[in-house]
Amino acid sequence: MSQDEGRYWLDRPENVAKLYRGLWIVGVLLVLADLVVHRHAEAGFDGGFGFYGVYGFVACVALVLAAKLLRRAVMRPEDYYDR
Amino acid sequence: MKRLIVLRVVAKMLIPFMLLFALYVQFHGDFSPGGGFQAGVIGAAAIILYALIFGLPAARRLVPERLVETLLGAGVLLYGGVGLAGIALGGNYLDYFVLGRDPVSGQHRGIFWVEVGVALTVSAVMLEIFYLFAGRGHRFDE
Amino acid sequence: MIAELPAGLILVAAGLALPLLPRAARSPVAAAAPLLAFAQLLWIGPGYVLEKDAFGFTLQLVRTDRLSLAFGYIFTIAAFLNAIYAWRVREGIEPPAALVYAGTALAAVFAGDFLTLFIYWELSAVASALIVWAGGSARAYGAGMRYMAVQLGSGMLLAAGAALRYAEAGSLAFEHVGLGSPGGALLFLAFGIKCAFPLLHNWLQDAYPEASATGTVVLSAFTTKLSIYALARGFAGTEMLIWIGAAMTAFPIFYAVIENDLRRVLAYSLNNQLGFMVVGIGLGTDMGLNGAVAHAFAHILYKALLFMSMGAVLLRAGTVKGTELGGLYKSMPLTAGLCMVGAASISAFPLFSAFVSKSMVLVSAAEQGYTFIWLVLVFASAGVFHHSGIKVPFFAFFAHDSGIRCKEAPAHMLVAMALTALLCVGIGVFPGALYAILPMPVDYVPYTASHVLAQLQLLVFSGLAFSWLKRRGIYPPEMRSVNLDADWFYRRLGLRMARALAALLQRLFDAGREASRQLGEAGAALLERLHGSEGVLARTWSTGGMALWAAILLAAYLLLYYADKVDRGFIFLLILPFLIGALGLWADSRRRDDD
Amino acid sequence: MSAEQLPALVVVAPLVAAPVALLARRALPAWMVATAACGFSFVAALALAVQVTSGGAVSYALGSWPPPWGIEYRVDVLSAFVLVLVSGVATVVAPFAWASASAELERERLYLFYALYCLCVAGLLGMTATGDAFNLFVFMEIASLSSYVLIALGRDRRALLSAYQYLVLGTIGATFYVIGIGLLYLMTGTLNMADMAARLSDISSTRPVLAALAFITVGVSLKLALFPLHLWLPNAYTYAPSAVTAFLAATGTKVSVYVLLRFYFGVFGTRIVLEELPMSQILLALSVVAIVTASLVALWQADLKRLLAYSSIAQIGYITLGISMASREGLTAAVVHLFNHGITKGALFLLVGGVALRAGHAGFDRLQGLARTMPLTSLGIVIAGLSLIGTPGTAGFVSKWYLVLGAIEAGRWWLAAFIVATSLIAVAYIWRFVEAAYLAPLGGATPRAGEAPAAMLVPAWILVAASVWFGFDTSYSVQGAARAAALLLQ
């Protein structure tokens, strides 16, 4: 592994951070595009500014948090059924 | 029992009459109660009496098992044959009407032969059963 | 001549012939058979019917229309891609089983009546169970057993439902059924099991990840889509399906987030994708149905692509556990890239296949006024990107470097994946081709600025949520674990209850025997006679005992006949001795086991 | 000999062949006579079946005495159906018996075996063809007595005891039957069944008639091994010579079912038997218990022949279950299952007979890895086993299908579920064979002499093929059964 060190661009944390920041910029741009592009609503309220961005973000955070709770309830050792 | 002279003499006298009576019952079956079944039983009883008095080997010499078996088959065959003769002569199975020139003689003939078949079969079966049981285990007369 | 043959039977015949062929010829035949079947489908087109008299019925062995043809096309395509992917697998039960499985599923799609459907339904269940078993491990054996039991159970329900249906409607024709009758309900349940409805779903996550690298790809394509077809045919517009489907889209994704086995993650997301189709069928509108069929079509391809890439990882790295993988993009860059095409497709990125199919279901739900359902579906869309689009490629190919260095996937696998990826992108770029074969006329335009923008926002912010949670350390780490699911009820609870019941009965019988021992000489002797050296009902009875039964029965009949009015309680009294006898038999066999 | 004579000839041929075989005294001519007679009966039965299907029931006055004074032979769709089954199985088993009985019996007494075989066939055919209740009793005795002896010929010592028990119970059954007939004669003054039915319609609820019904029901139930009167069957089937087991399992109990159907529907009438009396509930309860217990007992048997014997009891339960429904579907199911189970079980016992020939008996210890040494036999057992389970594409499926339909028709959902569920027990016991023959390694006790001789294998496979054939082509079996059911319900 050590000989690979540095050979790959993604192995460097600062590059990952760059990607992360870039993604935020894209996101913000997309939301701002709402001002330019008219998004017609499908369900009535989804035409609002940045609806999909907010919904996607909140939904995913909620999903992960709920899954963490779920894990407490259902997680068992790997050989659970074999015992 | 061979030594009991009274029994031997009486049996010797009785057995021919029993056989004769069997024949009487057989042939009188058309007119009065009787027929092949009863005749067969009486005939077989005569042989069985013989076996009881004179011993199984003697009876076996008189009426060998082979003969019994043949009679058994022949009796059934005779019965079945009469039935088939009815078909062959254009009637139904066991149709006696067609066996003679007129229905009455046809009936007569048909019943006669069928009863002979029955008598043969019944007496043979009686004897067969007797032989089988008597031949099993210890010989009671020897 | 070949037009006379149901298309599926071409595959079945090829599958059965496969073991007899020389090894070199097997893979080409396995690839050629689906092509031949595909050509035959194109040739016969819609409106073809092949009937045959059997069982006293007129069976429709083949009935083509636009709905069945759409599934027929994608099934043959999938079978072809599978054959390429599994080019090197020439030995064992898997290649013939895969062809027979695909063939029976294909034939089932064209079944015009329930009896024919039932026969192929069961055959495909057996063939697919063989594929699970071909996984080879002890776990695969157990999972295959459970899988088989569930699938055959579905078949039993189908048979029972068909029989009821015949009694109700006087016809076995496989047309719209609806939920209004007991027969319909049983059929619904039969299809539902195979479609992995919530709480009936676990056979899927249980069995698919236990098959071999190639086997899982085959499995993912046919079983559930066959049931989607059956639901579309029999239960279009059944409102309950909308709610079931919405639940199906939502709840598997929670499990997918915490699952470690990446092929099992994909199995959960397979379940979630089926939910979209089920909603579309439940809506029953032209667009909803079109959406369901289009999504099934697209889904088979990208799901196969994802399973193929994970299969390649399994083949080269020897595992698909999230905990053990990472950094594989360095060793398998092509596989990583193709996997990401699949991920983009399932996540419905613009220019990828699901973008043009899934949205039809969403729009349709919104149009029908199912706002809540629509919200759930959007949530599930974000979620699916989250776990299938990001999690699977991320943990396999990126994340922290696991240090695994291996070879790139073999060429035939790459070819299969590339072809599949090409089709995914092709559908995304030229949706008109897909729309042309849908059952209803389509007037839907996927590429509007509004739709593209909304979808991009959703996806990018889902991705942002993932990276934000990950960087914050909130994201649940991958752990080696088993997550309890509905299968717990039969794998654990059922087993325990059966054991507890057996123990309880044992104790009861022990107590009974103990009590009887104290009943005194006469009673004990009687009991001893009842429990002879063999079971009461199995042993040879004394002749007198047999005759006694005859006398008892005669007496019972006479009593019954002479009683003016006989209530049923009396009859049960009559049966009671037999029941006691049966229990005695059981107890006796237990006792002998103990000795 | 024109076609009108067929109802008599079908019975007479084996009846006359029996003494001829006896007189022949040699195995080979005796066997040839027996086979020829069975074959003749089969052809005659087929011709009769064609005749009654197109032209309705045939009445034949024995000795040209018109019924009801003379004995009438009456062949309708139902009896023609059973005649075809009995004579067909007899014909197929005959060549099998040449190889199997030669190996199992002393050579010098072999001709007796064939004579008795003919008698048994004649008795069963006579029971089916006759329209006279007492004549039926006579043929019942002919068939029973010959089958007792045939069973006693088995080479296992226990065969004698089994035959003796069968004799005692069979005689009780026959006696009950004849008591019932006596009561009916007392009340109606006739022995002709059709005549009896007509005269019974006014007095059907009187006590002597009800007593007659009870006696006949129990008597015939003994003969058809209805639970709990089945106890003679497992041993009799297990220890009898293979050919006898196969023949009796395929036909013996089936003819008794036929007699039950005749009396319930033809003589007493549906109204009294199934509507006024709780007969259908009792029959239903007994059938259900029979299916469950016999299937479960079969599951634990250590001998394949005995396992199949218990499975027969369960299958008879399915037939009586169909009768208890007393509906068109139910009766169709009963009659078609009577036929399908006959050929399926016949096939199984013939194949097991082949195993027994090579291995001495068919205990499961002899079956380990059998598929390697006797592949055709094992495959046949599996295929016929599938039919026993009721897998689609086999004859067994057709009957189960109609049974389920009948249950649904009657609105008894639980019964339909029950029928499907109990098939799973059949899966389990057939699986035991598959496990032993295919999955287990070759056992030390497994016969290594190769396949059974062709004379045994070919008849067995004819029946195996038939049990698949009638799973696809149901035009004869189901249509015949449906016609018979319609006839019974008239």
Side-chain angles (χ1 to χ4, degrees):
Chain A
M1 177 171 168
S2 58
Q3 67 201 49
D4 294 332
E5 210 66 60
R7 265 182 59 195
Y8 289 90
W9 187 75
L10 265 179
D11 283 343
R12 296 217 211 109
E14 64 270 25
N15 291 339
V16 177
K18 265 186 219 162
L19 267 181
Y20 179 61
R21 257 174 273 138
L23 198 60
W24 270 111
I25 294 167
V26 172
V28 171
L29 284 177
L30 280 172
V31 171
L32 289 178
D34 266 5
L35 299 173
V36 192
V37 179
H38 167 69
R39 273 200 303 102
H40 66 87
E42 282 175 12
F45 47 78
D46 57 321
F49 176 75
F51 169 82
Y52 283 97
V54 174
Y55 190 75
F57 193 86
V58 172
C60 284
V61 172
L63 166 66
V64 171
L65 295 180
K68 284 182 85 165
L69 282 178
L70 181 69
R71 181 174 253 184
R72 280 198 203 161
V74 302
M75 194 172 83
R76 294 290 183 278
E78 230 175 357
D79 59 348
Y80 177 73
Y81 286 118
D82 304 327
R83 280 180 297 169
Chain B
M1 273 179 260
K2 278 184 212 163
R3 280 161 294 163
L4 295 175
I5 190 98
V6 176
L7 281 180
R8 290 170 62 118
V9 172
V10 170
K12 269 190 177 170
M13 282 165 66
L14 266 181
I15 287 169
F17 285 102
M18 286 175 80
L19 289 172
L20 200 62
F21 185 62
L23 288 177
Y24 169 77
V25 171
Q26 168 77 29
F27 294 118
H28 217 258
D30 317 10
F31 307 111
S32 66
F37 200 98
Q38 292 85 336
V41 174
I42 295 168
I47 311 292
I48 291 171
L49 180 65
Y50 183 79
L52 288 175
I53 305 298
F54 297 96
L56 198 58
R60 280 212 167 111
R61 272 193 303 278
L62 184 70
V63 188
E65 276 184 82
R66 219 181 140 83
L67 177 66
V68 171
E69 218 172 271
T70 311
L71 286 178
L72 179 70
V76 178
L77 203 59
L78 187 58
Y79 176 90
V82 173
L84 286 176
I87 292 183
L89 293 173
N92 275 356
Y93 188 73
L94 282 183
D95 193 340
Y96 307 147
F97 293 105
V98 292
L99 292 181
R101 251 159 294 143
D102 55 296
V104 175
S105 71
Q107 283 290 329
H108 211 84
R109 205 176 272 181
I111 290 175
F112 176 78
W113 286 112
V114 162
E115 291 298 334
V116 170
V118 170
L120 288 179
T121 311
V122 168
S123 56
V125 167
M126 293 282 292
L127 276 179
E128 181 83 31
I129 293 173
F130 175 75
Y131 280 169
L132 282 176
F133 275 94
R136 243 184 133 71
H138 65 99
R139 300 289 165 91
F140 65 92
D141 54 351
E142 284 168 334
Chain C
M1 159 60 195
I2 203 150
E4 288 285 302
L5 201 67
L9 293 191
I10 298 174
L11 298 188
V12 173
L16 293 179
L18 220 50
L20 308 175
L21 296 173
R23 290 180 73 239
R26 290 180 191 172
S27 298
V29 167
L35 289 180
L36 190 61
F38 184 71
Q40 194 237 23
L41 289 180
L42 284 177
W43 166 262
I44 59 179
Y48 173 79
V49 169
L50 174 66
E51 289 183 333
K52 193 109 189 143
D53 287 334
F55 308 119
F57 301 103
T58 302
L59 299 184
Q60 279 199 339
L61 297 185
V62 177
R63 169 198 49 189
T64 61
D65 56 15
R66 292 184 66 87
L67 178 62
S68 51
L69 277 175
F71 280 89
Y73 294 143
I74 187 59
F75 277 14
T76 47
I77 292 170
F80 170 72
L81 293 171
N82 289 334
I84 304 285
Y85 184 73
W87 193 266
R88 290 271 184 83
V89 185
R90 300 194 184 100
E91 299 294 335
I93 191 76
E94 194 181 293
L99 271 180
V100 171
Y101 167 50
T104 45
L106 184 61
V109 161
F110 291 108
D113 64 279
F114 284 116
L115 201 53
T116 312
L117 179 71
F118 165 72
I119 290 168
Y120 289 129
W121 193 269
E122 292 287 60
L123 287 177
S124 79
V126 173
S128 56
L130 290 176
I131 299 175
V132 178
W133 277 324
S137 64
R139 285 171 67 95
Y141 180 78
M145 270 296 184
R146 292 189 291 275
Y147 174 85
M148 177 98 129
V150 172
Q151 298 294 317
L152 292 183
S154 155
M156 295 272 181
L157 289 172
L158 174 62
L164 292 191
R165 181 95 192 126
Y166 182 68
E168 289 156 3
S171 152
L172 278 174
F174 184 17
E175 300 297 346
H176 183 81
V177 178
L179 266 181
S181 61
L186 279 185
L187 288 172
F188 189 73
L189 202 58
F191 297 165
I193 289 176
K194 224 166 175 119
C195 193
F197 279 3
L199 301 183
L200 306 174
H201 64 286
N202 232 134
W203 57 268
L204 198 164
Q205 288 85 353
D206 187 16
Y208 283 11
E210 303 300 344
S212 70
T214 47
T216 311
V217 182
V218 184
L219 289 172
S220 75
F222 301 107
T223 299
T224 49
K225 261 58 76 182
L226 171 59
S227 67
I228 290 290
Y229 160 78
L231 284 171
R233 168 81 61 196
F235 295 94
T238 303
E239 201 197 351
M240 192 194 285
L241 283 176
I242 301 175
W243 300 93
I244 292 175
M248 270 170 90
T249 59
F251 98 96
I253 59 182
F254 295 97
Y255 273 96
V257 168
I258 55 175
E259 179 57 52
N260 186 26
D261 183 322
L262 294 182
R263 289 201 297 174
R264 189 158 283 135
V265 173
L266 289 177
Y268 276 113
S269 88
L270 167 58
N271 207 344
N272 139 289
Q273 293 295 303
L274 293 172
F276 287 99
M277 303 168 213
V278 171
V279 171
I281 293 167
L283 290 166
T285 55
D286 280 9
M287 189 190 263
L289 272 180
N290 275 339
V293 176
H295 200 49
F297 197 101
H299 167 79
I300 287 178
L301 293 170
Y302 58 68
K303 186 56 72 179
L305 178 53
L306 286 166
F307 271 121
M308 283 175 182
S309 65
M310 284 304 113
V313 168
L314 179 64
L315 181 74
R316 290 305 194 207
T319 176
V320 281
K321 299 256 166 74
T323 41
E324 295 163 20
L325 291 174
L328 274 182
Y329 76 98
K330 297 169 187 170
S331 310
M332 310 175 75
L334 292 175
T335 307
L338 290 165
C339 177
M340 284 168 73
V341 173
S345 297
I346 194 173
S347 316
F349 265 97
L351 299 182
F352 292 92
S353 56
F355 181 76
V356 303
S357 59
K358 186 162 68 181
S359 47
M360 290 166 91
V361 175
L362 274 107
V363 170
S364 186
E367 275 179 358
Q368 298 296 304
Y370 288 101
T371 310
F372 175 72
I373 298 288
W374 181 85
L375 278 173
V376 173
L377 295 185
V378 175
F379 165 70
S381 303
V384 76
F385 174 54
H386 196 94
H387 63 79
S388 276
I390 303 175
K391 171 169 172 166
V392 169
F394 180 81
F395 282 106
F397 298 108
F398 304 101
H400 66 92
D401 195 328
S402 61
I404 296 176
R405 293 292 177 269
C406 55
K407 285 199 289 184
E408 177 58 273
H412 62 97
M413 286 192 170
L414 286 174
V415 169
M417 286 191 274
L419 280 174
T420 316
L422 202 64
L423 284 169
C424 288
V425 177
I427 290 171
V429 178
F430 306 107
L434 174 60
Y435 291 173
I437 61 160
L438 294 182
M440 312 287 178
V442 180
D443 62 338
Y444 174 69
V445 184
Y447 288 106
T448 62
S450 161
H451 182 202
V452 171
L453 182 59
Q455 188 66 17
L456 283 177
Q457 279 188 9
L458 185 73
L459 293 176
V460 168
F461 276 91
S462 302
L464 275 172
F466 178 82
S467 2
W468 181 69
L469 290 165
K470 193 83 194 152
R471 291 182 78 84
R472 282 299 181 104
I474 305 172
Y475 196 84
E478 293 299 285
M479 285 183 192
R480 309 175 59 93
S481 65
V482 162
N483 295 317
L484 299 185
D485 200 340
D487 59 348
W488 181 81
F489 286 101
Y490 57 84
R491 287 177 73 176
R492 211 65 207 251
L493 184 67
L495 204 62
R496 278 191 185 161
M497 272 170 40
R499 280 191 195 136
L501 197 66
L504 182 71
L505 284 175
Q506 178 69 61
R507 219 168 300 152
L508 278 179
F509 277 110
D510 286 345
R513 216 176 297 132
E514 190 53 41
S516 66
R517 206 163 284 158
Q518 295 158 1
L519 266 177
E521 289 298 337
L526 182 72
L527 211 70
E528 187 58 38
R529 224 175 343 187
L530 274 174
H531 294 256
S533 61
E534 286 180 319
V536 172
L537 288 164
R539 72 154 192 246
T540 303
W541 281 52
S542 70
T543 317
M546 297 183 187
L548 187 67
W549 271 121
I552 291 175
L553 209 65
L554 182 71
Y557 276 126
L558 287 173
L559 269 176
L560 273 180
Y561 292 169
Y562 285 180
D564 278 327
K565 272 220 160 83
V566 184
D567 62 326
R568 287 173 184 224
F570 191 79
I571 295 165
F572 283 115
L573 267 181
L574 193 69
I575 304 169
L576 207 59
F578 308 144
L579 290 179
I580 294 169
L583 284 173
L585 162 80
W586 191 79
D588 207 54
S589 66
R590 294 291 302 215
R591 192 190 57 154
R592 271 182 295 137
D593 290 348
D594 294 347
D595 290 346
Chain D
M1 282 195 228
S2 57
E4 300 102 66
Q5 303 296 336
L6 285 177
L9 288 177
V10 73
V11 182
V12 168
L15 194 65
V16 172
V20 173
L22 184 71
L23 293 176
R25 284 185 186 280
R26 303 271 301 283
L28 186 63
W31 172 75
M32 279 161 57
V33 168
T35 313
C38 293
F40 176 82
S41 284
F42 184 42
V43 174
L46 283 176
L48 266 177
V50 172
Q51 199 180 333
V52 297
T53 312
S54 55
V58 179
S59 173
Y60 183 89
L62 210 61
S64 294
W65 294 103
W69 296 284
I71 291 173
E72 181 196 13
Y73 276 23
R74 195 178 167 78
V75 178
D76 57 18
V77 185
L78 177 60
S79 33
F81 196 72
V82 180
L83 285 176
V84 169
L85 173 72
V86 174
S87 56
V89 172
T91 311
V92 174
V93 171
F96 176 91
W98 174 247
S100 118
S102 306
E104 290 180 36
L105 305 177
E106 304 162 45
R107 189 147 182 88
E108 57 270 23
R109 299 185 76 77
L110 213 50
Y111 69 98
L112 282 177
F113 174 86
Y114 297 116
L116 287 164
Y117 182 73
C118 282
L119 265 189
C120 192
V121 173
L124 292 173
L125 290 173
M127 284 169 78
T128 316
T130 190
D132 184 280
F134 190 78
N135 194 231
L136 199 159
F137 167 72
V138 172
F139 277 119
M140 187 190 271
E141 283 298 271
I142 291 178
S144 305
L145 288 171
S146 49
S147 57
Y148 305 146
V149 183
L150 283 172
I151 290 168
L153 289 175
R155 65 180 156 184
D156 194 299
R157 270 187 312 112
R158 286 166 286 188
L160 204 59
L161 176 68
S162 316
Y164 170 71
Q165 290 195 324
Y166 184 24
L167 180 139
V168 171
L169 288 175
T171 308
I172 292 175
T175 311
F176 278 11
Y177 173 81
V178 86
I179 291 173
I181 296 301
L183 287 168
L184 287 180
Y185 184 64
L186 206 69
M187 295 304 288
T188 60
T190 179
L191 286 169
N192 183 288
M193 290 201 250
D195 201 30
M196 210 181 252
R199 298 192 195 184
L200 271 176
S201 56
D202 301 331
I203 51 165
S204 60
S205 301
T206 55
R207 291 199 163 179
V209 173
L210 291 179
L213 176 60
F215 273 105
I216 290 174
T217 301
V218 177
V220 178
S221 298
L222 257 169
K223 292 272 175 192
L224 65 81
L226 178 66
F227 188 93
L229 305 177
H230 64 280
L231 296 154
W232 56 268
L233 187 144
N235 283 337
Y237 280 15
T238 309
Y239 302 121
S242 301
V244 175
T245 308
F247 176 67
L248 285 183
T251 59
T253 48
K254 310 299 177 290
V255 171
S256 303
V257 170
Y258 163 81
V259 173
L260 193 73
L261 284 170
R262 263 279 170 263
F263 270 90
Y264 275 11
F265 296 93
V267 176
F268 289 100
T270 350
R271 189 178 54 79
I272 160 152
V273 178
L274 299 163
E275 288 167 23
E276 290 184 10
L277 295 174
M279 228 21 248
S280 57
Q281 284 97 319
I282 296 174
L283 209 53
L284 175 72
L286 290 180
S287 311
V288 165
V289 179
I291 292 168
V292 174
T293 50
S295 302
L296 286 176
V297 171
L299 205 49
W300 277 286
Q301 290 304 314
D303 183 292
L304 186 57
K305 218 171 164 187
R306 206 175 163 81
L307 184 155
L308 291 175
Y310 274 106
S311 135
S312 275
I313 297 166
Q315 299 295 323
I316 290 164
Y318 286 112
I319 298 176
T320 49
L321 189 65
I323 298 176
S324 79
M325 292 170 189
S327 64
R328 232 188 138 92
E329 280 75 16
L331 284 178
T332 307
V335 176
V336 82
H337 197 51
L338 179 154
F339 181 82
N340 288 340
H341 177 245
I343 50 179
T344 304
K345 213 22 107 37
L348 280 167
F349 274 121
L350 288 183
L351 290 163
V352 174
V355 177
L357 176 78
R358 291 284 185 239
H361 63 83
F364 269 95
D365 57 325
R366 310 286 163 109
L367 304 178
Q368 305 295 322
L370 188 75
R372 260 150 276 176
T373 57
M374 303 177 82
L376 281 174
T377 305
S378 305
L379 182 66
I381 293 178
V382 172
I383 295 175
L386 287 175
S387 174
L388 200 61
I389 295 165
T391 323
T394 59
F397 171 72
V398 179
S399 9
K400 292 258 172 78
W401 172 261
Y402 278 94
L403 217 49
V404 170
L405 276 188
I408 291 162
E409 193 79 14
R412 293 189 172 129
W413 310 105
W414 63 269
L415 197 57
F418 170 83
I419 293 163
V420 176
T422 47
S423 304
L424 291 179
I425 312 182
V427 174
Y429 58 68
I430 294 301
W431 178 254
R432 282 190 60 205
F433 173 77
V434 175
E435 201 174 17
Y438 285 89
L439 303 182
L442 196 59
T446 309
R448 279 152 218 271
E451 282 292 353
M456 298 171 78
L457 212 51
V458 171
W461 269 90
I462 289 175
L463 288 184
V464 171
S467 60
V468 174
W469 172 265
F470 287 110
F472 286 104
D473 181 18
T474 53
S475 52
Y476 173 68
S477 56
V478 171
Q479 282 171 22
R483 279 209 197 90
L487 184 86
L488 287 173
L489 284 174
Q490 265 172 14

